[in-house]
Amino acid sequence: MFFFLTLCSFSQERKWSLEASYPIPVDDNFIGRNYNGVLDLGAKLRFAEIGVLNIEAGFNAGILKGENHLQNWEGVDFEFNVMVYYIQPKVFAEFNIAKAPEFHPFAYAGYSFMIFNANPSSGYDVSSETQTQNGFNIGTGFSYDINDTFFAQIQYDSTKINIEKGLPDIKY
């Protein structure tokens, strides 16, 4: 069923597309140093065409995974598996190039909601904790139509998480 849906839904001639991506956190901050990508799923809907510009709405959800280590007062290490679940609604501007119709550069702006869920993995009876952070995100990238059904895409996201209760002012 997934294969059939894939063949029917990814076409660049349709007004919507589905995406499956692998997120790669970068930059010298706590996300880039401590987390690895797991999966990012997205959908886009084109709702306006203005000359060489397509206006689209998009929605992505993904998972990052990391480990943190803490030490108690006795010097015993505690390991926590931390999963970050993120949700990103976005508005896109995609450019159509007449001389290269298979090449589609784009830019977007949106908002990110990040849910940090820490679960102990050390075997000690320590409760899990969940914290939600949010902030604006912008990005740019391009997609390339491989054929009428599939496309490849690369993009760069930058998210600025809001400062809350003594957390550091960060971007990732």
Side-chain angles (χ1 to χ4, degrees), residues 41-109:
L41 299 174
K44 288 182 189 172
L45 174 66
R46 182 175 50 224
F47 59 87
E49 295 180 31
I50 306 168
V52 298
L53 192 66
N54 293 335
I55 306 299
E56 303 177 359
F59 182 85
N60 284 69
I63 303 171
L64 303 173
K65 182 179 181 181
E67 288 186 10
N68 287 340
H69 302 278
L70 297 175
Q71 201 172 69
N72 71 4
W73 66 93
E74 297 172 341
V76 177
D77 281 338
F78 290 93
E79 291 184 16
F80 288 83
N81 289 326
V82 182
M83 301 296 282
V84 179
Y85 306 98
Y86 60 87
I87 300 168
Q88 297 175 317
K90 306 171 184 180
V91 177
F92 286 81
E94 180 184 75
F95 302 93
N96 295 314
I97 301 171
K99 294 190 181 210
E102 67 280 346
F103 184 72
H104 305 280
F106 59 84
Y108 60 87

Side-chain angles (χ1 to χ4, degrees), residues 1-11 14 16 18 149-150:
M1 185 171 166
F2 178 74
F3 181 71
F4 178 73
L5 179 65
T6 301
L7 290 177
C8 294
S9 64
F10 287 139
S11 173
R14 289 180 170 59
W16 59 282
L18 299 176
T149 306
F150 292 100

Side-chain angles (χ1 to χ4, degrees), residues 124-138:
Y124 291 95
D125 186 21
V126 180
S127 64
S128 62
E129 184 172 329
T130 301
Q131 185 178 27
T132 302
Q133 298 295 319
N134 53 57
F136 289 100
N137 69 315
I138 58 172

Side-chain angles (χ1 to χ4, degrees), residues 29-48:
N29 56 44
F30 84 98
I31 296 282
R33 286 188 304 260
N34 298 313
Y35 293 90
N36 295 311
V38 176
L39 179 65
D40 181 279
L41 299 174
K44 288 182 189 172
L45 174 66
R46 182 175 50 224
F47 59 87

Side-chain angles (χ1 to χ4, degrees), residues 108-119:
Y108 60 87
Y111 204 77
S112 291
F113 301 92
M114 300 178 74
I115 302 159
F116 293 82
N117 185 8
N119 291 307

